[in-house]
Amino acid sequence: MAFQHFGVAFQPFGAAFQSFEVAFQSFGMVSHRSPPSAITACHGASWFPKAQRRGSPQAAAVASWARIFLNFTSHTWFWNVIQNEFKSGNTDLDGCIRLLEKMQITFDEDHLKHIFKKTIDKHSGDIISMDDFRAIYRALVHRPEFEELFKAYSIDGNILPDGQLLKFLAKEQFQTEADETTALEIIMKYEPIDEVRKRRQMSFEGFIRYMNSDECSIFKSQHRSVYQDMTQPLCDYFISSSHNTYLIADQLMGPSHLWGYTSALLKGCRCLEIDCWDGHNNEPIVYHGHTLTSKIPFRSVIHVIDKYAFMSSSYPLVLSLENHCSPKQQEVMASCLKTILGDKLLSSPLGGETDMTQLPSPEALKFKVLIKNKKVGTLEQSMLRMEEDSVGEAEEVSDSDAQSDDDNSEDMSPVRPKSPSKRKSDRRSSPPPQKKPKVRKTKIALALSDLVVYTKSQKFVGFEHSLQHQKCWENNSIGESQARRLAKVSAPQFIAHTTRFITRIYPKGSRMKSSNYNPQEFWNIGCQMVALNFQTPGTYMELQDGKFLDNGGCGYVLKPAFLRDLNTTFTPRNVGAYSKPMSLSIRLISGHQLPPSAMSKTNKADPMVQIEIYGVPEDQARKKSSVVKSNALCPKWNETFSFNIQVPELAMIRFCVEDEVSLVNKEFLGQYTLPVMSLNTGYRNIPLISKDGTRLEPASLFAHVWYY
């Protein structure tokens, strides 16, 4: 019965097919005995007799019957895919979901349920026919904006030959390097209908799949793999860095968890922080000291790091130790690092070189784990001790309390305003003599100290002091508040410093809820390790994720040349000759299956899009679209936004979709952030990402991007 029903649907197509064959016979192109392949091959062929080519009545007739044939093959493909689900003649919502999954169509369940309900409301019951399913499929998949583009390049509105696809790639997608092979590869990859694919053509179904693919993403496909020069010194790269990596919530009472390390490593993070304290039974523990955060064994942390260290990136991983352990437990730490990490652990300079003038490259340090910690003596002394047994030996290193790289006191104490009388007395009296900073001495186990090679933690005293005394393998950690002040008053010196030495920035201690600062202001001055709280979602973490999408997500991004040049005069507030202005135009066309509002009982939202530029102060910009009422399924904007960007090499662009709940209240729906230099031109889909960093498939925006 079901098969008969299915066959009835094909009767008009069968008749059309016979008429099509007769038409070709009448033109003397296909004999009555010609195989179907001959009919398939003839459409669009260049061997038509001259009298029968484009413009002649015969050619018009052939083109007309060719359209019928294409419709036939398209219908055949569609029904062949779905027929098994309709053996009983109808199907329900679960069957509808199974079919869409079988056809590899991603969908939002809220939107599907809404369309399904609208379909069954037309007739009683909760089941649908094949025709109903086709209507649902079209509502989810066939987008008018895609159809308009397709028909602009299609010869007959039904098919896109490889030559026309090539024109589309060159003219609309600005893929000037594309050739016939490129077009054919796209057809072979995305065209689902065999008969069309064999003829080196693309149907609308194939075009939809291509336009929704990563090849048409706004993010350049070339930037999805490592493409930058990885042979420069380590200090020439921005390095993806995490602060308090062990925390998965706030830094006062939140839990410490191994997942903090796993998730950071899977994101491609290349600098992890480990706060180490003495634990019971001579086993060091990791937690946020002097707080109610929970504790995890140091040994377990290293096991997790060993497992995931190079799963997402093969480039060097830095373990930044905040070491509060006694020498005895420091030796346990050293033993753990050596025995668990084995050959991954870098414990001596490459080639035994101790008198270096520049750091090795990420390429030279592939698959190596580097320890960042205080160090006793020089690299040469460490090498000399390698043959000796230094178990039980420790030496003191002295630090200034004011300069401790894990001391956040500068940010903890609120500044109280002085009374007018107090200010007057201050003016009259001479300033009190400056206190000599107290010297704090810390014991470092030689076994741990000797594991520090290229990333020695060195107290930051001042730019001039570093220039005169600091070695290339000594790194500084500077709190965000101090770094912000230095960037404001000494930007040229700060940038000169970061061209020579790895500089790590960390959040101020008063951020009890583990909030983040804006990393862009420190990338602007070349700071390599701008450490953020990975566990805290928000705009600044989205900037971090977007920044390190670049260069294959390997966790290392080559700094612009003007932030690597030892003689640079660039500053963020005075870009001068380093400006390479970019005029960027973005036409926001539409949205597709956006997440419905939390306030909606169905699939509705009132979406609006914010486009933001982050970069040097002159480039900061924010523009908003209009609000589309009650449409999260397929909102249309067709609005153009223009930006003038002076330093595109440092600029980031963020697309944020919000639901306008009221004039003052907006609900986040999704976002996507990427470097401006990674923007693809042409018609592009913009995937959306949730607050916690997961892809919101199939939610996306559709835009046309152009710049010069």
Side-chain angles (χ1 to χ4, degrees):
M1 184 70 185
F3 184 79
Q4 286 174 352
H5 173 78
F6 186 72
V8 168
F10 280 105
Q11 283 175 4
F13 296 111
F17 185 80
Q18 287 173 358
S19 301
F20 178 68
E21 188 172 0
V22 168
F24 271 86
Q25 288 170 23
S26 68
F27 295 134
M29 296 176 202
V30 183
S31 73
H32 186 66
R33 294 186 178 85
S34 296
S37 59
I39 299 171
T40 303
C42 70
H43 174 56
S46 60
W47 46 261
F48 286 144
K50 285 183 182 178
Q52 297 163 0
R53 290 187 186 174
R54 186 178 291 187
S56 69
Q58 295 97 329
V62 171
S64 173
W65 288 114
R67 281 195 293 276
I68 293 170
F69 177 70
L70 184 80
N71 284 331
F72 171 74
T73 53
S74 181
H75 281 73
T76 305
W77 165 79
F78 188 80
W79 298 125
N80 280 345
V81 170
I82 71 171
Q83 63 178 312
N84 285 340
E85 194 62 48
F86 286 93
K87 283 179 180 175
S88 62
N90 297 291
T91 193
D92 56 9
L93 178 62
D94 288 338
C96 193
I97 290 171
R98 281 194 300 273
L99 273 174
L100 290 170
E101 288 173 345
K102 180 182 178 182
M103 299 171 86
Q104 298 181 322
I105 301 298
T106 54
F107 57 88
D108 181 288
E109 215 162 297
D110 287 327
H111 289 305
L112 175 61
K113 285 176 180 175
H114 176 74
I115 297 168
F116 187 87
K117 187 175 184 303
K118 278 180 73 176
T119 305
I120 62 172
D121 281 350
K122 293 175 185 174
H123 47 75
S124 58
D126 57 359
I127 56 174
I128 58 168
S129 67
M130 286 195 287
D131 286 335
D132 290 333
F133 175 75
R134 185 170 187 185
I136 291 170
Y137 173 83
R138 283 182 165 176
L140 279 174
V141 178
H142 286 202
R143 297 168 62 179
E145 54 271 40
F146 288 178
E147 192 169 3
E148 190 179 323
L149 272 176
F150 180 79
K151 286 187 173 176
Y153 284 86
S154 170
I155 292 171
D156 58 2
N158 289 297
I159 57 105
L160 200 62
D162 54 356
Q164 289 299 104
L165 176 59
L166 187 55
K167 283 183 183 176
F168 170 78
L169 295 175
K171 189 174 177 182
E172 304 295 352
Q173 305 300 72
F174 303 100
Q175 290 179 229
T176 51
E177 75 290 349
D179 55 20
E180 287 183 3
T181 304
T182 312
L184 188 58
E185 283 173 353
I186 289 170
I187 289 168
M188 293 302 164
K189 187 172 182 181
Y190 297 106
E191 177 52 55
I193 304 172
D194 290 340
E195 291 87 344
V196 178
R197 190 171 59 249
K198 286 172 187 173
R199 288 154 53 200
R200 300 165 66 106
Q201 295 172 343
M202 184 173 258
S203 68
F204 183 47
E205 292 292 339
F207 188 72
I208 290 167
R209 282 153 179 76
Y210 169 62
M211 293 303 292
N212 283 324
S213 73
D214 282 345
E215 286 187 53
C216 285
S217 168
I218 196 167
F219 187 82
K220 279 183 181 174
S221 55
Q222 307 94 296
H223 292 194
R224 294 181 187 277
S225 54
V226 175
Y227 68 96
Q228 295 177 343
D229 180 3
M230 301 303 286
T231 63
Q232 300 303 309
L234 277 179
C235 60
D236 281 357
Y237 298 84
F238 295 117
I239 303 170
S240 178
S241 303
S242 163
H243 175 253
N244 289 350
T245 316
Y246 48 90
L247 291 178
I248 56 171
D250 68 82
Q251 62 181 39
L252 198 59
M253 301 175 70
S256 304
H257 202 283
L258 295 173
W259 174 248
Y261 291 97
T262 305
S263 61
L265 288 168
L266 291 176
K267 272 188 170 186
C269 182
R270 296 290 85 191
C271 179
L272 309 176
E273 186 175 38
I274 312 177
D275 278 15
C276 313
W277 299 79
D278 280 356
H280 298 301
N281 303 320
N282 203 33
E283 282 291 334
I285 52 173
V286 175
Y287 84 114
H288 199 54
H290 311 301
T291 66
L292 299 176
T293 58
S294 58
K295 304 171 177 67
I296 49 179
F298 177 82
R299 189 180 298 275
S300 299
V301 169
I302 304 306
H303 273 294
V304 166
I305 290 169
D306 178 56
K307 183 176 180 181
Y308 293 99
F310 302 107
M311 200 167 278
S312 295
S313 172
S314 59
Y315 291 99
L317 174 66
V318 179
L319 304 185
S320 181
L321 304 182
E322 288 292 351
N323 180 9
H324 305 275
C325 289
S326 61
K328 187 178 179 184
Q329 294 210 14
Q330 286 179 42
E331 290 193 338
V332 176
M333 288 166 60
S335 175
C336 282
L337 291 165
K338 285 192 270 192
T339 55
I340 296 169
L341 296 176
D343 291 341
K344 294 188 186 93
L345 182 67
L346 185 82
S347 55
S348 60
L350 299 177
E353 185 186 356
T354 58
D355 187 23
M356 70 194 82
T357 55
Q358 70 173 30
L359 288 168
S361 68
E363 188 67 31
L365 292 166
K366 273 176 122 175
F367 300 107
K368 289 296 179 185
V369 177
L370 281 61
I371 305 302
K372 182 178 179 294
N373 190 58
K374 298 179 181 73
K375 183 175 181 67
V376 176
T378 64
L379 283 173
E380 195 173 15
Q381 289 169 332
S382 293
M383 292 288 284
L384 291 172
R385 278 196 296 266
M386 283 180 74
E387 303 301 320
E388 302 170 8
D389 183 7
S390 56
V391 174
E393 292 186 44
E395 287 189 22
E396 287 184 335
V397 292
S398 54
D399 295 325
S400 161
D401 280 343
Q403 300 297 335
S404 172
D405 71 52
D406 52 28
D407 179 14
N408 295 312
S409 58
E410 59 159 28
D411 302 308
M412 295 292 286
S413 307
V415 178
R416 293 178 183 166
K418 296 178 182 178
S419 66
S421 58
K422 181 74 177 170
R423 286 199 293 269
K424 283 176 187 173
S425 65
D426 283 352
R427 282 198 296 269
R428 286 194 299 269
S429 60
S430 57
Q434 202 169 6
K435 286 184 182 177
K436 195 175 181 180
K438 292 178 184 177
V439 173
R440 181 174 64 185
K441 294 192 174 179
T442 309
K443 280 196 169 182
I444 304 292
L446 295 184
L448 183 61
S449 169
D450 289 348
L451 297 182
V452 177
V453 183
Y454 297 122
T455 44
K456 175 189 175 183
S457 294
Q458 182 67 35
K459 296 304 170 192
F460 177 74
V461 177
F463 297 129
E464 193 59 39
H465 181 274
S466 293
L467 199 56
Q468 292 178 18
H469 303 288
Q470 198 163 317
K471 305 291 185 189
C472 66
W473 47 278
E474 295 176 329
N475 321 145
N476 305 122
S477 286
I478 307 175
E480 64 164 295
S481 297
Q482 185 188 6
R484 197 172 285 118
R485 286 193 294 270
L486 290 168
K488 190 174 182 181
V489 300
S490 306
Q493 294 90 331
F494 207 148
I495 291 170
H497 181 83
T498 60
T499 62
R500 293 167 172 82
F501 311 111
I502 292 177
T503 303
R504 176 177 171 268
I505 309 298
Y506 59 91
K508 58 187 178 183
S510 57
R511 294 184 180 274
M512 295 299 182
K513 292 186 177 178
S514 295
S515 60
N516 281 313
Y517 54 85
N518 184 352
Q520 187 69 49
E521 58 184 317
F522 301 114
W523 291 329
N524 285 348
I525 53 174
C527 295
Q528 294 86 349
M529 295 179 172
V530 181
L532 295 187
N533 293 302
F534 274 40
Q535 76 274 25
T536 308
T539 302
Y540 299 144
M541 204 45 224
E542 289 158 10
L543 284 174
Q544 156 76 26
D545 290 343
K547 179 83 168 174
F548 290 100
L549 274 178
D550 198 4
N551 205 28
C554 73
Y556 285 82
V557 172
L558 189 64
K559 296 198 290 185
F562 55 77
L563 289 177
R564 293 182 273 134
D565 179 6
L566 299 180
N567 301 309
T568 188
T569 57
F570 169 87
T571 68
R573 294 189 180 276
N574 183 21
V575 299
Y578 298 100
S579 173
K580 292 181 182 175
M582 171 195 281
S583 181
L584 172 65
S585 174
I586 295 172
R587 178 158 66 95
L588 178 66
I589 300 169
S590 62
H592 180 62
Q593 296 196 58
L594 303 182
S597 168
M599 311 278 288
S600 173
K601 291 180 181 176
T602 57
N603 69 329
K604 299 285 189 277
D606 295 346
M608 54 89 70
V609 180
Q610 246 181 188
I611 304 176
E612 301 166 331
I613 304 290
Y614 292 82
V616 299
E618 192 177 349
D619 290 341
Q620 306 279 1
R622 177 181 298 170
K623 299 192 178 181
K624 295 180 182 180
S625 75
S626 59
V627 177
V628 177
K629 293 290 183 182
S630 300
N631 189 348
L633 176 62
C634 52
K636 304 284 190 298
W637 284 281
N638 276 314
E639 297 174 21
T640 300
F641 305 93
S642 298
F643 302 90
N644 290 313
I645 302 170
Q646 298 303 311
V647 190
E649 299 98 319
L650 286 171
M652 304 286 295
I653 185 166
R654 178 175 181 261
F655 298 84
C656 182
V657 186
E658 295 177 322
D659 172 44
E660 189 176 68
V661 179
S662 69
L663 288 174
V664 292
N665 187 16
K666 292 177 178 59
E667 177 195 336
F668 174 91
L669 295 180
Q671 67 81 34
Y672 191 70
T673 305
L674 72 159
V676 163
M677 298 301 286
S678 293
L679 281 172
N680 242 336
T681 49
Y683 288 96
R684 301 294 168 183
N685 65 69
I686 304 168
L688 292 179
I689 294 171
S690 69
K691 241 175 196 169
D692 64 7
T694 55
R695 175 85 180 265
L696 290 167
E697 280 194 300
S700 64
L701 300 173
F702 185 55
H704 183 269
V705 180
W706 177 79
Y707 59 78
Y708 68 88

